[in-house]
Each structure stands twice: as C-alpha cells, then as structure tokens.
Amino acid sequence: MRVPSSSGGAATTAAASAGLPAAGVGAVSWPRRVILLGPNHRGAGAGLAISPASAWRTPLGDLPVSSRLSAALLAEGPFEEDGKAHAREHALEVIAPFLQVVRPDVEAAFVSVGRADLELCEAAGRAVAEVVKSFARHGEKIAIVVSSDLNHYLDKAANRRKDLRALELLLEGDPEPFFR
C-alpha cells in the first residue's frame, strides 16, 4: 500500500507552529493507539475518510496505521476507506512526528473530515466513542486528536479571536454554531 509522505508545505506548517503542538503533545501520557481527525481542505473523496495506507511517512520515518483501530471505525460508523481524501492534505501529517517523538511505537487511524454536516459528525462522534469503549473493555486506551486547522489567511490577532470563540463553543457543548 502506498505510504503518504509529508509535503514541503506541510513541513513548513509544522515548523511554523511547532511550539504549540510540541507543548501539547509533550504534556500528555500517550497510549499506543491514536485516532487522528482533521479537515479535508480540498473536498476530494469521502466525507469521513479513513486512510487505507499501511503507514504514513514522516521526516522521522513511517508511522504505522493501526489496522485494528481503522477496521473498528469502519465497522462501527459512517466512515469509508478512501485515500483520495488524504491526498495533498496536511492537517494530520503535521501532528504525526510529534506523536512519534513522545511515543515511538504509536499507531494511528487517520480520519479526514470532508463534509461539514452536523448529523454526519455526530454519527462519527458516536462511532468513535463506541470504538474507544470497545477497546477499553479489553484494557486498551485510545487517544483522540482533532486538528481544527481553522484557517491560513488571518493575522495572528484575528486567528486568536477565532480560536478562542471556537473553544468557547466547545466548552458550551453546542456544536451547531460550527455548522452555520
């Protein structure tokens, strides 16, 4: 299976924002398996796409895809296996090297979210919760990482305001404003 590799743009994005992801990733004790969810900027492929690759290539080497975790998500929810949705994306691949540093044996399920549809996202959330509970029943913890990658075009102050508003909405527990 083809291994997606980081693009030059992704390396630049990772380098520019390395402080925050590194601090966040470094502050957590990570289980071996991680579900990574991030936006599909280009709209290609399935609305909720799980990477069919066997590994993702990063500057630190290949990060294996967890076939067990990916299969469980496919069986439980509205996900589809689709490599097109992951082509030329960067929201997930910039996180992968940070995970490799803090947990060298990490495996991940890579999920590209390409449809801003509240019902679809709620169904995905329920499926992720069921999969996490299923693994927990067998003594395995699963981490969930969501990359919002909200924008690339605002200045730092405007970005900060937008990020803080997104955090407020998350803390209020009402996802609907994200879909307006």
Side-chain angles (χ1 to χ4, degrees), residues 127-151:
V128 166
E130 286 304 316
V131 168
V132 169
K133 286 190 278 188
S134 173
F135 275 73
R137 284 191 290 273
H138 295 25
E140 293 186 63
K141 292 183 178 180
I142 304 294
I144 302 167
V145 177
V146 178
S147 170
S148 65
D149 200 15
L150 291 174
N151 72 70

Side-chain angles (χ1 to χ4, degrees), residues 1-3 30 51 71 89:
M1 177 108 349
R2 187 178 84 72
V3 179
W30 291 91
S51 173
E89 284 298 334

Side-chain angles (χ1 to χ4, degrees), residues 97-170:
F98 295 104
L99 294 173
Q100 288 175 295
V101 168
V102 297
R103 183 75 196 227
D105 64 341
V106 70
E107 295 181 358
F110 293 85
V111 181
S112 175
V113 181
R115 277 192 30 222
D117 177 284
L118 180 57
E119 289 180 16
L120 182 65
C121 289
E122 287 176 332
R126 287 189 297 274
V128 166
E130 286 304 316
V131 168
V132 169
K133 286 190 278 188
S134 173
F135 275 73
R137 284 191 290 273
H138 295 25
E140 293 186 63
K141 292 183 178 180
I142 304 294
I144 302 167
V145 177
V146 178
S147 170
S148 65
D149 200 15
L150 291 174
N151 72 70
H152 299 282
Y153 53 87
L154 296 175
D155 62 53
K156 187 175 182 177
N159 244 354
R160 179 98 174 120
R161 284 190 303 275
K162 190 173 185 178
D163 288 349
L164 289 174
R165 179 64 182 139
L167 288 173
E168 287 173 16
L169 292 170
L170 287 171

Side-chain angles (χ1 to χ4, degrees), residues 27-108:
V28 175
S29 175
W30 291 91
R32 182 157 186 241
R33 289 186 179 80
V34 178
I35 299 171
L36 291 166
L37 298 108
N40 176 335
H41 296 92
R42 302 185 194 317
L48 287 170
I50 293 182
S51 173
S54 58
W56 279 40
R57 182 151 298 144
T58 78
L60 302 178
D62 290 353
L63 189 156
V65 168
S66 173
S67 57
R68 281 185 56 224
L69 192 50
S70 294
L73 289 167
L74 286 165
E76 186 66 43
F79 305 99
E80 296 178 47
E81 196 172 67
D82 183 359
K84 255 194 324 191
H86 292 274
R88 298 179 40 124
E89 284 298 334
H90 61 272
L92 301 178
E93 69 183 10
V94 298
I95 299 167
F98 295 104
L99 294 173
Q100 288 175 295
V101 168
V102 297
R103 183 75 196 227
D105 64 341
V106 70
E107 295 181 358

